[in-house]
């Protein structure tokens, strides 16, 4: 559809209803728009209803964003008042252009209230079907019409969530929604969305007798069992607020026991409190006690493990017959890799040794082999001696391949056009489409033009990113305009002349993609063919096989076509660093300027690798806390037309996964480009840290830039984003390419300057250890300890005890021996803090004599 523009029209000297509406909307006069719609005759409403959809599709913000939003709001309300059918009104309310709008329910109701009851019932049902959690747009409209018309309340989950959100502690006695949904409160799938703000309401309803207490308690406990690990925390809060008496708890003891293995911490905590209360009162069956302590012993959370050790110690004093049950549970805790927990469990186990039966003694002896030396020796002395340390299982690093593969080439002109119409692109599809366009424009130009006829007859400017005289320039639009330039050069030239480019904050590594697409489009606009694209990668890393590039250059020479400058430059950047002699000797036989340039590059004439410097910049505002940014510098030079790739810029970019493919043999340069985004976006959930994996599979020198980029990924707030950093670290470790010294320095600086949280970094190091990279992890940690361990009389930073524990885990698997003076200094401190305990464990591990293998 072409953008819709309306001319001023006069009928008998009077302004039309449509023109009056547009003028009022443009001024943001929403109230007057509502009054105008209410006064329109059927003809006026019909005119507005016909013209609104096309007009709204063309509205774009022009400077004043709030004025544009108010204009859209006016148009939304105009459509509500003028559209006739219930289906049309419901669809209008949920149009994409209005998706951000909230809070107009009363005005919508005012405009629709006079419609017939059957019509309102139809609208209510249609709105209910379109509701989505968490927005629930126009729930109030649907609910009002359900109540007014008396229809059966919609049973969709989103509609019931809306009801629970709006639930009042004193509902109207005749409210049909209360009567319909009250028995089903705890069956709502989206319960966790609405319950947190309604706990107090439900408690008051129970107290006032409007909700039956037993039904609510059963509903809470039943839902906790049903949801397991995903149970909403608000259910635990509601359970506590209901304050069950001992009889109510006793009747649900088996259910509480079933909540312990997999429920969230808050749920397991409440179940433990109830069970411990029952056990202390002598009302917990011994089978349930045994099942409960065993279930808790397998939990990973330290809080719950400390609680079960405490409970087990108290419970065995009340009934000595529970000793073997308690010992079996405590033996499980031996495997917990937390020294303080192991020590607490060992103290209790040693204390109970003289009361232990054979099952308990055997469980303890088998489990004690995993304990650190000193603790294992205490157990051995109390339980008959001869307990040897468990052999450490060494997990090898998995082998890595060459990275992702490129998708298969496009098989026909028709397939090419179908895929080019996709609404989104990744870098592989971008390269595949541009390469396919060059190939099929040469192989089958007639078939390709025929397949592209719908793109140019007529041309829809919106499809190509043109909104009136504005141009949105993104990867999708740039590729489509290249296709249009081939299919209809005159239309492409016309579009290029009429558009004023909308400024976008594109970074250099994004611009090269767009500029290459524009370069190919200009070639078609100028009437030139281009039979093959030089820069299309042959590997998923972005690399081009040298022999394939020479084949492509020979095709251009045979066709007497001059290589496009950016296409050639990009192709050279994608060559591997090591070129076989047979290839560069073959390149010397090329006669074109592009061929000679390629030959020189392959012989070693590529630009020198730049110098890299990364540093922290501190900003000190006049008021407030100082802020810190991570900045970088590149010293070096590239030839035109790719010189700007060494120019670093700041600004958020969400296309980082595209960047490694630009310069796959110069990953340090790409890493330096990423640093600002990675450091500034560590708290953002949608930061594409997967780009680090692409860098790990790439080639070229690796040092300060890659170390800082990897460090930022390791410090990301989101666990999924940190997983990408872990994968990158593992890939580099398997290839023997981790810059351990630079990474240690980067992590130390960023943690001490407050840009990274150490506990997040430790989680990545731990995951890498478990995956087989224990030797690399140890090499990194041993470089972190001097800078991060506290000096004498210095308060330890958060996470440093976890770092020591991670070092112990890696050292134990790697079997390292080392002198660590900084760790020794910490072990000499007084007290039994976790920091001192973990330092002692690490020191013991790396200094204890190795077991003889003779």
């Amino acid at each position: 559809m072409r953008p819709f523009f309306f001319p001023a029209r006069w009928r008998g000297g009077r302004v039309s209803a449509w023109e009056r509406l547009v003028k009022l909307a443009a001024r943001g006069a929403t109230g007057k728009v509502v009054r105008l719609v209410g006064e329109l005759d059927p003809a006026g409403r019909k005119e507005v209803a016909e013209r609104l959809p096309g007009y709204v599709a063309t509205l774009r913000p022009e400077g004043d964003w709030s004025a544009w939003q108010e204009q859209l709001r006016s148009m939304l309300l105009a459509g509500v008042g003028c559209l006739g059918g219930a289906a049309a009104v419901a669809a209008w309310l949920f149009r994409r252009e209005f998706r951000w709008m909230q809070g107009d329910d009363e005005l919508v109701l005012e405009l629709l209230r006079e419609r017939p009851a059957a019509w309102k019932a139809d609208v209510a049902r249609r709105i209910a079907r379109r509701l989505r959690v968490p927005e629930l747009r126009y729930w109030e409209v649907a609910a009002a019409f359900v109540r007014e018309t008396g229809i059966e309340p919609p049973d969709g989950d989103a509609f019931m969530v809306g009801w629970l959100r709006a639930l009042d502690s004193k509902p109207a006695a005749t409210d049909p929604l209360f009567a319909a949904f009250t028995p089903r409160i705890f069956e709502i799938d989206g319960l966790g969305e609405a319950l947190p703000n309604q706990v107090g309401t439900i408690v008051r309803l129970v107290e006032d007798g409007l909700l039956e207490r037993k039904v609510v308690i059963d509903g809470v406990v039943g839902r906790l069992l049903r949801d397991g690990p995903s149970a909403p925390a608000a259910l635990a809060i509601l359970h506590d607020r209901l304050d069950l008496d001992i009889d109510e708890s006793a009747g649900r003891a088996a259910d509480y026991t079933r909540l312990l293995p997999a429920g969230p911490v808050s749920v397991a905590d409440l179940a433990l409190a109830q069970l411990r209360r029952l056990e202390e009162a002598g009302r917990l069956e011994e089978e349930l006690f045994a099942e409960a302590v065993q279930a808790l012993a397998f939990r990973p959370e330290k809080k719950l493990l400390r609680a079960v050790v405490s409970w087990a110690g108290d419970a065995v004093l009340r009934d000595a017959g529970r000793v073997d049950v308690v010992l079996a549970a405590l033996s499980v805790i031996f495997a917990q890799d937390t020294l303080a927990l192991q020590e607490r469990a060992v103290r209790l186990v040693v204390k109970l040794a003289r009361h232990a039966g054979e099952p308990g003694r055997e469980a303890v002896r088998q489990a004690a082999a995993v304990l650190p030396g000193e603790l294992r020796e205490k157990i051995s002395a109390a339980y008959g001696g001869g307990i040897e340390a468990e052999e450490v299982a060494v997990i090898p690093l998995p082998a890595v391949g060459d990275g992702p593969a490129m998708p298969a080439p496009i098989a026909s002109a028709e397939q090419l056009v179908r895929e080019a119409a996709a609404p989104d692109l990744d870098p592989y599809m971008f390269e595949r489409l541009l390469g396919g366009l060059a190939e099929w424009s040469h192989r089958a130009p007639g078939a390709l033009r025929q397949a592209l006829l719908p793109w140019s007859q007529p041309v829809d400017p919106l499809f190509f990113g043109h909104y009136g005289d504005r141009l949105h320039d993104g990867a999708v639009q740039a590729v489509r305009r290249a296709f249009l330039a081939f299919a209809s050069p005159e239309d492409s030239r016309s579009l290029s002349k009429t558009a004023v480019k909308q400024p976008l904050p594109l970074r250099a590594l994004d611009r090269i993609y767009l500029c290459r697409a524009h370069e190919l489009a200009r070639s078609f606009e100028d009437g030139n063919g281009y039979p093959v694209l030089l820069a299309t990668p042959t590997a998923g890393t972005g690399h081009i096989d040298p022999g394939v590039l020479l084949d492509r250059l020979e095709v251009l020479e045979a066709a007497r076509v001059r290589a496009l400058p950016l296409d050639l430059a990009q192709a050279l950047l994608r060559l591997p660093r090591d070129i076989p002699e047979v290839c560069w000797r073959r390149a010397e036989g090329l006669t074109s300027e592009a061929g000679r340039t390629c030959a020189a590059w392959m012989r070693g004439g590529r630009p020198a690798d730049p110098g890299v410097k990364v540093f922290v910049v501190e900003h000190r505002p006049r008021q407030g806390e100082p802020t810190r940014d991570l900045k970088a510098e590149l010293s070096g030079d590239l030839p035109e037309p790719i010189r700007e790739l060494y120019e670093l810029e700041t600004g958020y970019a969400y296309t980082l996964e595209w960047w490694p493919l630009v310069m796959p043999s110069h990953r340090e340069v790409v890493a330096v480009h990423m640093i600002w985004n990675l450091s500034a976006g560590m708290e953002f959930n949608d930061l594409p840290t997967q780009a680090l994996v692409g860098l790990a599979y790439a080639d070229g020198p690796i040092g300060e830039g890659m170390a800082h980029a990897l460090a930022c990924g390791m410090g990301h707030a989101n666990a999924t984003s940190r997983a990408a950093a872990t994968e990158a670290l593992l890939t580099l470790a398997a290839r023997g390419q981790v810059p351990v010294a630079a990474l240690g320095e980067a992590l130390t600086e960023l943690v001490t300057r407050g840009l990274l949280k150490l506990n997040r970094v430790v989680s990545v190091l731990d995951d890498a250890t478990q995956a087989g990279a224990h030797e690399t992890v140890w090499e990194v940690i041993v470089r972190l300890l001097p800078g991060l361990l506290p000096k004498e009389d210095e308060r330890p930073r958060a996470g440093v005890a976890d770092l020591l524990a991670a070092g112990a885990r890696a050292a134990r698997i790697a079997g390292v021996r080392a002198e660590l003076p900084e760790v020794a200094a910490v072990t000499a401190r007084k007290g039994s803090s976790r920091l001192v305990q973990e330092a002692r464990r690490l020191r013991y591990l790396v200094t204890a004599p190795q077991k003889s293998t003779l």
Side-chain angles (χ1 to χ4, degrees):
M1 179 187 295
R2 295 179 181 272
F4 186 89
F5 299 100
F6 62 92
R9 291 192 303 152
W10 294 84
R11 294 178 178 172
R14 298 180 61 187
V15 178
S16 70
W18 170 249
E19 290 169 329
R20 290 161 60 200
L21 173 67
V22 169
K23 289 179 180 180
L24 290 173
R27 299 206 310 265
T30 305
K32 293 182 179 180
V33 167
V34 173
R35 286 195 296 274
L36 171 64
V37 169
E39 296 167 356
L40 290 177
D41 59 17
R45 291 189 179 190
K46 181 180 179 182
E47 179 189 15
V48 170
E50 288 176 349
R51 306 192 72 167
L52 265 175
Y55 180 72
V56 166
T58 68
L59 289 177
R60 296 292 181 272
E62 298 288 346
D64 189 339
W65 188 272
S66 62
W68 172 69
Q69 290 180 319
E70 196 62 30
Q71 187 179 17
L72 274 180
R73 183 167 174 249
S74 295
M75 293 299 170
L76 165 70
L77 294 170
V80 168
C82 294
L83 292 168
V89 170
W92 181 256
L93 287 170
F94 289 90
R95 268 184 71 117
R96 181 175 56 86
E97 291 89 348
F98 306 137
R99 62 189 178 276
W100 52 268
M101 293 187 180
Q102 296 282 349
D104 279 329
D105 296 51
E106 288 302 320
L107 288 174
V108 171
L109 284 168
E110 179 183 335
L111 287 165
L112 298 180
R113 203 136 240 160
E114 300 305 317
R115 303 281 182 112
W119 188 97
K120 289 189 289 186
D122 192 7
V123 162
R125 295 188 188 96
R126 292 177 183 276
I127 291 176
R129 285 197 293 269
R130 288 176 175 265
L131 291 174
R132 297 293 181 271
V133 176
E135 290 86 1
L136 300 180
R137 292 159 56 203
Y138 306 113
W139 179 86
E140 292 284 357
V141 175
F145 288 161
V146 168
R147 291 181 173 117
E148 290 177 14
T149 60
I151 62 171
E152 186 75 19
D155 61 358
D157 190 68
F159 189 82
M160 288 193 286
V161 169
W163 165 77
L164 184 54
R165 274 187 184 176
L167 182 62
D168 189 86
S169 59
K170 294 183 179 180
T174 58
D175 184 5
L177 301 186
F178 187 81
F181 296 151
T182 296
R184 302 166 61 187
I185 289 179
F186 300 104
E187 299 173 11
I188 300 173
D189 285 341
L191 183 66
E193 162 63 30
L195 186 59
N197 294 324
Q198 292 291 42
V199 167
T201 300
I202 293 174
V203 171
R204 286 190 293 274
L205 288 168
V206 171
E207 292 170 348
D208 294 343
L210 296 173
L211 290 177
E212 186 180 345
R213 178 178 175 84
K214 181 181 183 301
V215 171
V216 171
I217 295 173
D218 287 343
V220 170
V221 175
R223 184 59 184 261
L224 289 171
L225 287 168
R226 167 189 150 183
D227 285 356
S230 60
L235 282 170
I237 298 171
L238 176 56
H239 182 281
D240 288 343
R241 291 281 302 276
L242 291 169
D243 193 20
L244 278 64
D245 63 33
I246 193 73
D247 292 326
E248 289 173 325
S249 295
R252 298 170 176 84
D255 290 334
Y256 292 134
T257 305
R258 291 166 58 201
L259 289 172
L260 292 175
V265 174
S266 59
V267 174
D269 208 24
L270 85 81
L272 171 59
Q274 294 295 326
L275 291 168
R276 188 164 186 174
R277 171 195 187 194
L278 292 170
E279 185 272 327
E280 290 172 355
R283 299 190 60 176
L284 183 65
E285 297 175 9
E286 289 303 313
E287 289 184 2
L288 292 179
F289 171 77
E291 184 180 344
V293 293
Q294 283 288 333
L296 285 167
F298 281 98
R299 295 286 303 220
E301 299 87 359
K302 297 179 180 64
K303 174 184 178 181
L304 294 175
L305 292 169
R306 288 193 297 268
V308 74
V309 172
S310 173
W311 182 26
D314 292 343
V316 80
L317 291 176
R318 285 188 283 272
D319 186 347
R322 296 167 171 167
V323 168
D324 286 348
V325 169
V326 167
L327 289 176
L330 294 172
S331 299
V332 174
I333 295 176
F334 290 173
Q336 291 288 338
D337 198 12
T338 302
L339 186 59
L341 277 170
Q342 291 173 327
E343 287 182 333
R344 292 184 68 174
V346 166
R347 281 197 299 269
L348 183 53
V349 167
V350 170
K351 183 178 178 181
L352 297 176
R354 62 191 178 94
H355 302 291
E358 190 55 34
R361 298 181 71 84
E362 184 60 25
V364 169
R365 288 183 59 83
Q366 288 184 4
V370 303
L371 288 168
E374 294 181 21
L375 298 180
R376 187 179 67 254
E377 290 167 5
K378 290 180 180 179
I379 295 291
S380 185
Y383 283 79
I387 301 177
E388 297 291 338
E390 181 184 61
E391 292 292 333
V392 179
V394 179
I395 302 172
L397 265 172
V400 296
D402 298 325
M406 280 293 291
I410 290 174
S412 68
E414 292 74 19
Q415 180 191 0
L416 177 63
V417 174
R418 282 197 307 272
E419 297 195 14
D424 203 2
L425 293 179
D426 62 23
Y428 300 102
M429 184 57 69
F430 178 93
E431 297 293 353
R432 192 164 174 253
L433 290 176
L434 275 194
L437 174 59
E439 177 187 356
W440 288 97
S441 67
H442 181 70
R443 285 179 58 181
L448 182 56
R449 284 198 174 90
Q450 181 66 30
L452 286 169
L453 279 178
W455 289 32
S456 57
Q457 294 186 4
V459 171
D460 177 6
L462 292 175
F463 185 71
F464 300 98
H466 289 251
Y467 301 97
D469 61 348
R470 297 289 178 179
L471 168 62
H472 173 78
D473 203 12
V476 171
Q477 292 76 20
V479 168
R480 289 175 180 176
R481 287 199 295 275
F483 274 74
L484 180 65
F486 167 75
S488 181
E490 61 279 6
D491 283 319
S492 179
R493 287 192 296 267
S494 176
L495 275 182
S496 299
K497 289 176 182 177
T498 58
V500 177
K501 185 175 180 180
Q502 185 82 357
L504 291 174
L506 292 179
R507 307 282 286 278
L509 298 184
D510 291 321
R511 288 196 296 271
I512 191 169
Y513 283 101
L514 268 61
C515 291
R516 284 176 49 222
H518 297 330
E519 181 182 63
L520 183 59
R522 286 193 299 273
S523 176
F524 289 135
E525 287 179 355
D526 294 341
N528 302 321
Y530 201 64
V532 63
L533 208 63
L534 301 176
T536 304
T538 57
T541 58
H543 282 105
I544 294 177
D545 181 272
V548 172
L549 177 57
L550 294 175
D551 293 342
R552 294 170 180 172
L553 285 166
E554 288 171 354
V555 169
L556 291 186
E557 288 191 0
R560 299 183 179 276
V561 174
R562 184 173 179 271
L564 298 175
L566 267 179
D567 183 34
L568 174 62
Q570 175 76 93
L572 297 178
L573 286 173
R574 286 175 165 167
L575 283 171
R577 298 181 77 86
D578 297 321
I579 307 294
E581 181 179 348
V582 65
C583 288
W584 59 260
R585 289 196 179 280
R586 178 184 163 194
E588 290 177 340
L590 296 171
T591 58
S592 63
E593 180 182 352
R596 292 191 295 272
T597 301
C598 180
W601 187 289
M602 287 184 170
R603 285 196 308 269
R606 64 173 180 262
D609 294 311
V612 173
K613 179 64 178 175
V614 184
F615 51 94
V616 177
V617 176
E618 186 170 290
H619 306 279
R620 292 191 172 274
R622 293 182 179 179
Q623 296 180 345
E625 293 293 324
T627 60
R628 298 174 180 87
D629 287 333
L630 198 58
K631 299 291 179 66
E633 291 179 353
L634 283 171
S635 56
D637 196 14
L638 282 177
E640 294 290 359
I642 52 177
R643 183 169 297 162
E644 70 170 13
L645 296 181
Y646 275 18
E647 297 173 3
L648 301 179
E649 302 154 293
T650 58
Y652 289 107
Y654 294 93
T655 52
L656 269 60
E657 71 275 14
W658 292 61
W659 295 5
L661 277 69
V662 174
M663 306 172 71
S665 293
H666 303 76
R667 59 181 163 189
E668 184 77 348
V669 176
V670 179
V672 171
H673 274 277
M674 290 183 180
I675 283 172
W676 188 90
N677 265 270
L678 290 170
S679 64
M682 279 190 282
E683 304 300 322
F684 296 172
N685 284 335
D686 55 351
L687 186 70
T689 54
Q690 193 65 29
L692 292 169
V693 180
L695 288 182
Y697 278 109
D699 199 4
I702 188 169
E704 192 172 341
M706 184 65 180
H708 279 82
L710 187 57
C712 291
M714 295 169 73
H716 198 278
N718 184 276
T720 302
S721 298
R722 290 199 300 275
T726 305
E727 184 181 352
L729 181 61
L730 290 171
T731 301
L732 291 170
R735 300 177 73 186
Q737 296 176 342
V738 177
V740 288
L743 182 57
E745 291 177 7
L747 288 169
T748 300
E749 179 186 26
L750 296 181
V751 169
T752 55
R753 299 292 294 274
L755 272 75
L756 285 188
K757 292 185 178 180
L758 184 55
N759 63 326
R760 298 173 183 173
V761 173
V762 170
S763 71
V764 172
L765 294 173
D766 262 337
D767 289 345
T769 294
Q770 296 302 317
H774 42 272
E775 293 181 351
T776 298
V777 169
W778 173 252
E779 290 296 325
V780 173
I781 288 178
V782 81
R783 287 167 169 80
L784 294 178
L785 294 174
L788 297 183
L789 284 177
K791 306 297 187 290
E792 189 175 356
D793 299 327
E794 184 180 48
R795 185 176 180 179
R797 70 182 72 253
V800 71
D802 295 325
L803 179 65
L804 287 166
R809 287 186 281 273
R812 183 168 180 264
I813 299 173
V816 298
R817 294 293 177 267
E819 292 295 329
L820 302 173
E822 295 84 5
V823 177
V826 175
T827 64
R829 290 186 171 195
K830 296 180 180 180
S832 58
S833 67
R834 181 168 175 246
L835 174 70
V836 173
Q837 289 178 327
E838 295 294 356
R840 289 172 182 165
R841 174 164 67 146
L842 177 57
R843 189 182 182 204
Y844 177 86
L845 278 170
V846 300
T847 58
Q850 287 185 315
K851 183 179 177 181
S852 174
T853 57
L854 298 178

